[in-house]
Amino acid sequence: MVFWEGYVSDETMGTFFPIVIYWLYAGFYQLLPPLDKYRLHTSKEEEEKNLVPLAMVVKGVLLQQLVQAIVALVLFWLTSTADASGVTVQPSIPFQIVQIIIAMLVMDTWQYFVHRYMHLNKFLYRHIHSQHHRLVVPYAIGALYNHPLEGLLLDTLGGAISFLVSGMTARTAVIFFCFAVVKTVDDHCGLWLPGNIFHIFFKNNTAYHDIHHQLQGTKYNYSQPFFSIWDRLLGTHMPYNLVKRPEGGYEARIKKD
């Protein structure tokens, strides 16, 4: 029994709830006070280095989410296992956990190799992936700010493949996609907040991804959104030191040998 049962279908929830979660969680970060003592970059750096205004970022994210919603509706419709009464039998909770872990690994694998190729191919980087890197100083609302083609290939198609390979139901997909969205937003929030559970349990976190957005780190730390397995296996892992700035806040610095 879930809170939306009897009100909306699992397929509708799986399509639109991750979008709602994105704006709620990213909006939470956006509405926080400056919190300069926890920032990985100063407010001045964000204003000076970022090459795209907030309004354009919002439009870009909404466009990507529109495409995601259309693909999700079609995908859920094609894979629905509901009986004549509209009921889908859910597997046991341990089995769902295994499905979610499989989906996490599949998504990480897909996104690592597509993301890396978009950096290594000069045409794709210049005309497509560089749009995401116009946010030199990442912030939460810009987590899904991408070129529309990148959004389709990296996030939307990656999510669809993860869903299909894991064999999860639409109801389990609600949990998985909402978790993936929250983790992605957190990785781009630009804040190193004390007690952040993602910083405790994931090496691939806000500072890890911040290194990738730095000029010296663009060929490293491709992994997203969960683990850093592929970076470590294929030699693209860039370790970092988290250093406190005298004026307040933190700085993620590439660790020198």
Side-chain angles (χ1 to χ4, degrees):
M1 182 74 177
V2 292
F3 70 87
W4 66 82
E5 192 168 7
Y7 298 95
V8 296
S9 68
D10 293 340
E11 290 77 10
T12 300
M13 202 69 173
T15 299
F16 296 106
F17 198 49
I19 296 174
V20 172
I21 290 295
Y22 181 94
W23 290 106
L24 287 176
Y25 194 56
F28 161 76
Y29 273 118
Q30 195 71 19
L31 293 174
L32 286 174
L35 298 178
D36 289 337
K37 63 180 180 178
Y38 301 118
R39 291 177 64 96
L40 295 177
H41 297 271
T42 65
S43 300
K44 184 178 180 182
E45 284 179 314
E46 182 177 318
E47 294 172 2
E48 292 179 348
K49 292 184 177 181
N50 285 348
L51 305 174
V52 58
L54 177 61
M56 188 175 294
V57 170
V58 171
K59 290 178 183 177
V61 173
L62 288 172
L63 175 60
Q64 177 168 328
Q65 289 176 330
L66 173 63
V67 175
Q68 284 180 338
I70 293 171
V71 171
L73 285 171
V74 172
L75 187 65
F76 287 139
W77 176 69
L78 290 174
T79 60
S80 176
T81 58
D83 59 24
S85 62
V87 176
T88 299
V89 177
Q90 284 291 108
S92 66
I93 290 177
F95 191 78
Q96 290 181 68
I97 292 172
V98 171
Q99 288 179 316
I100 289 172
I101 293 172
I102 290 172
M104 292 167 72
L105 294 172
V106 171
M107 179 175 280
D108 271 8
T109 300
W110 177 266
Q111 292 206 358
Y112 174 86
F113 286 101
V114 174
H115 184 197
R116 181 175 178 175
Y117 186 66
M118 285 189 172
H119 273 271
L120 298 180
N121 184 295
K122 292 181 180 179
F123 178 87
L124 290 178
Y125 184 81
R126 184 181 302 115
H127 297 284
I128 296 177
H129 188 57
S130 62
Q131 179 168 322
H132 179 70
H133 281 270
R134 294 179 72 188
L135 292 179
V136 180
V137 178
Y139 54 81
I141 283 180
L144 289 183
Y145 176 67
N146 298 305
H147 186 283
L149 181 59
E150 177 178 352
L152 177 63
L153 291 176
L154 192 69
D155 297 307
T156 305
L157 190 54
I161 292 172
S162 303
F163 171 77
L164 292 171
V165 171
S166 66
M168 63 176 61
T169 64
R171 182 168 297 187
T172 307
V174 176
I175 299 169
F176 171 66
F177 287 125
C178 285
F179 178 53
V181 160
V182 169
K183 179 66 169 59
T184 300
V185 168
D186 206 84
D187 289 347
H188 289 80
C189 72
L191 295 171
W192 193 264
L193 295 174
N196 186 321
I197 193 169
F198 295 119
H199 297 166
I200 297 171
F201 290 102
F202 291 91
K203 297 298 182 182
N204 185 355
N205 51 40
T206 311
Y208 187 89
H209 192 66
D210 183 76
I211 291 293
H212 176 71
H213 275 258
Q214 295 179 24
L215 182 61
Q216 308 96 314
T218 54
K219 301 293 185 183
Y220 300 93
N221 293 10
Y222 296 115
S223 294
Q224 53 185 33
F226 301 111
F227 310 113
S228 58
I229 297 171
W230 286 111
D231 276 320
R232 293 177 184 274
L233 287 176
L234 298 179
T236 54
H237 174 257
M238 179 62 73
Y240 63 88
N241 289 315
L242 203 61
V243 180
K244 269 202 166 188
R245 292 192 299 266
E247 68 275 18
Y250 296 90
E251 182 180 351
R253 294 181 184 173
I254 293 173
K255 187 181 290 185
K256 305 296 183 180
D257 294 331

